[in-house]
Amino acid sequence: MLRPASKSRTYGIAGTVTAALLALALSGCGSSSDGTGGDGPTTAAPATTQAAAKDKGPVCVGKAAADGLHVLRGGGFRLPGGGSSGGGVQYDSATADGTTRTATLREGASYADGQKQQTVKAGQQITVSGHAYTVGQICSYRVVLEPRDAKDRAALAAAPASLKSKGGAADDGLCFTTNPSVLAAAAQGFPARGSELSLLRNGGVKTFPTGLSITVSYVDTATGTAGVGANCAGIPVAVYKDVRAGDTVEFAGVLFKVSGLAEGVVRLIRTSA
């Protein structure tokens, strides 16, 4: 939710005043005009970087199965047999009211006009791009879908011919998979658990061995928010908007907590194995 801009106030002093009256006039200039009663800026941050309302939680609802596929917030996942322009699913948006959580999913691995979408809850059975799934878990940062068909589970778990990234759709087996070897290789590309990963706003693209690339789109120190995105196999696989210190994000099956934001840098602490 965009916060409305505060109305600026001006204070004029007419005529000749004594030093005491001047001091009294200036003492009132620090009061807020937006009804909050505190000191603060008189103009709002630009709409492109102004923070959305903080997620009310809970962070996650449901349980993530070991063989579930992870669709990351704002990004897409190319489903088995879909081809370079075929089936997929995106985690478009979410709602949370402090008790439960829902997610809106879109058809297709990447955004296009006219795609079907549906709002789902944990435990629901759904069909996406012709594939049947159970929504195992919904988190602020991901949705975990469990394939209901044995062929889909086998296709997702299949080992790729190579763990070396080639770029584009050739990396589908590295980017859209539940294969333990691939996930282990991806995890090894990050700092160890408890260590920090720093992402620079002007540092270009940070790439990893299994084809993942991560970028920082903006850092707004005034609102304490940042935008972090990831691509893999030519697909935007995560777009985390307005993340704050303490928020959880995920890349290639690895969890991180935003530990801090500074001018031009986002710092993440790895929290999973």
Short mmCIF file of all heavy atoms in Angstrom, two decimals, residues 45 49 218-226 243 260-266:
data_model
loop_
_atom_site.label_atom_id
_atom_site.label_comp_id
_atom_site.label_asym_id
_atom_site.label_seq_id
_atom_site.Cartn_x
_atom_site.Cartn_y
_atom_site.Cartn_z
N ALA A 45 8.34 9.41 -0.26
CA ALA A 45 9.30 8.86 -1.20
C ALA A 45 8.63 8.66 -2.55
O ALA A 45 7.41 8.53 -2.63
CB ALA A 45 9.83 7.53 -0.67
N THR A 49 9.59 3.55 -5.38
CA THR A 49 10.39 2.91 -4.34
C THR A 49 9.72 2.94 -2.98
O THR A 49 10.30 2.49 -2.01
CB THR A 49 11.77 3.58 -4.23
OG1 THR A 49 11.60 4.97 -3.94
CG2 THR A 49 12.56 3.43 -5.51
N TYR A 218 16.90 -2.04 -6.65
CA TYR A 218 16.97 -0.76 -5.96
C TYR A 218 17.18 -1.00 -4.47
O TYR A 218 16.87 -2.07 -3.95
CB TYR A 218 15.69 0.07 -6.17
CG TYR A 218 14.48 -0.45 -5.42
CD1 TYR A 218 14.20 -0.03 -4.12
CD2 TYR A 218 13.63 -1.37 -6.01
CE1 TYR A 218 13.09 -0.52 -3.43
CE2 TYR A 218 12.52 -1.86 -5.33
CZ TYR A 218 12.26 -1.44 -4.04
OH TYR A 218 11.18 -1.92 -3.37
N VAL A 219 17.71 0.01 -3.80
CA VAL A 219 17.80 0.05 -2.34
C VAL A 219 17.32 1.42 -1.90
O VAL A 219 17.83 2.44 -2.35
CB VAL A 219 19.24 -0.18 -1.83
CG1 VAL A 219 19.28 -0.08 -0.32
CG2 VAL A 219 19.77 -1.52 -2.30
N ASP A 220 16.30 1.46 -1.06
CA ASP A 220 15.74 2.71 -0.57
C ASP A 220 15.99 2.77 0.94
O ASP A 220 15.27 2.16 1.73
CB ASP A 220 14.24 2.76 -0.87
CG ASP A 220 13.63 4.12 -0.57
OD1 ASP A 220 14.22 4.87 0.24
OD2 ASP A 220 12.57 4.43 -1.13
N THR A 221 17.00 3.50 1.33
CA THR A 221 17.34 3.58 2.75
C THR A 221 16.32 4.39 3.53
O THR A 221 16.17 4.21 4.75
CB THR A 221 18.74 4.19 2.95
OG1 THR A 221 18.79 5.48 2.29
CG2 THR A 221 19.81 3.29 2.36
N ALA A 222 15.58 5.27 2.87
CA ALA A 222 14.57 6.08 3.56
C ALA A 222 13.42 5.21 4.07
O ALA A 222 12.91 5.41 5.17
CB ALA A 222 14.04 7.17 2.64
N THR A 223 13.01 4.23 3.26
CA THR A 223 11.91 3.35 3.66
C THR A 223 12.41 2.02 4.21
O THR A 223 11.63 1.22 4.72
CB THR A 223 10.98 3.05 2.46
OG1 THR A 223 11.72 2.42 1.41
CG2 THR A 223 10.36 4.34 1.93
N GLY A 224 13.72 1.76 4.10
CA GLY A 224 14.28 0.50 4.58
C GLY A 224 13.85 -0.69 3.75
O GLY A 224 13.66 -1.78 4.28
N THR A 225 13.72 -0.49 2.44
CA THR A 225 13.28 -1.56 1.56
C THR A 225 14.22 -1.69 0.36
O THR A 225 14.98 -0.78 0.04
CB THR A 225 11.86 -1.32 1.03
OG1 THR A 225 11.83 -0.09 0.30
CG2 THR A 225 10.85 -1.26 2.17
N ALA A 226 14.14 -2.85 -0.30
CA ALA A 226 14.96 -3.10 -1.48
C ALA A 226 14.24 -4.06 -2.41
O ALA A 226 13.31 -4.76 -2.01
CB ALA A 226 16.33 -3.67 -1.09
N VAL A 243 11.56 -5.83 0.04
CA VAL A 243 12.02 -6.66 1.15
C VAL A 243 12.64 -5.76 2.22
O VAL A 243 13.21 -4.72 1.92
CB VAL A 243 13.04 -7.73 0.70
CG1 VAL A 243 12.38 -8.75 -0.21
CG2 VAL A 243 14.25 -7.10 0.02
N GLY A 260 20.41 -6.79 6.49
CA GLY A 260 20.59 -5.35 6.52
C GLY A 260 20.58 -4.74 5.14
O GLY A 260 20.86 -5.40 4.14
N LEU A 261 20.22 -3.46 5.10
CA LEU A 261 20.22 -2.67 3.86
C LEU A 261 21.04 -1.42 4.09
O LEU A 261 20.94 -0.78 5.13
CB LEU A 261 18.79 -2.27 3.48
CG LEU A 261 17.73 -3.37 3.38
CD1 LEU A 261 16.35 -2.75 3.14
CD2 LEU A 261 18.06 -4.35 2.27
N ALA A 262 21.86 -1.09 3.13
CA ALA A 262 22.62 0.15 3.18
C ALA A 262 22.60 0.76 1.78
O ALA A 262 22.05 0.18 0.85
CB ALA A 262 24.05 -0.12 3.65
N GLU A 263 23.17 1.91 1.64
CA GLU A 263 23.17 2.59 0.35
C GLU A 263 23.84 1.71 -0.71
O GLU A 263 25.05 1.49 -0.69
CB GLU A 263 23.92 3.93 0.45
CG GLU A 263 23.79 4.79 -0.79
CD GLU A 263 22.36 5.28 -0.99
OE1 GLU A 263 21.71 5.63 0.01
OE2 GLU A 263 21.92 5.30 -2.14
N GLY A 264 23.03 1.16 -1.61
CA GLY A 264 23.58 0.38 -2.72
C GLY A 264 23.91 -1.06 -2.41
O GLY A 264 24.50 -1.74 -3.25
N VAL A 265 23.55 -1.59 -1.24
CA VAL A 265 23.90 -2.97 -0.92
C VAL A 265 22.79 -3.64 -0.11
O VAL A 265 22.16 -3.01 0.74
CB VAL A 265 25.24 -3.05 -0.15
CG1 VAL A 265 25.15 -2.32 1.18
CG2 VAL A 265 25.67 -4.50 0.05
N VAL A 266 22.55 -4.91 -0.42
CA VAL A 266 21.62 -5.73 0.35
C VAL A 266 22.43 -6.90 0.93
O VAL A 266 23.15 -7.59 0.20
CB VAL A 266 20.48 -6.30 -0.53
CG1 VAL A 266 19.59 -7.23 0.28
CG2 VAL A 266 19.67 -5.16 -1.12
#
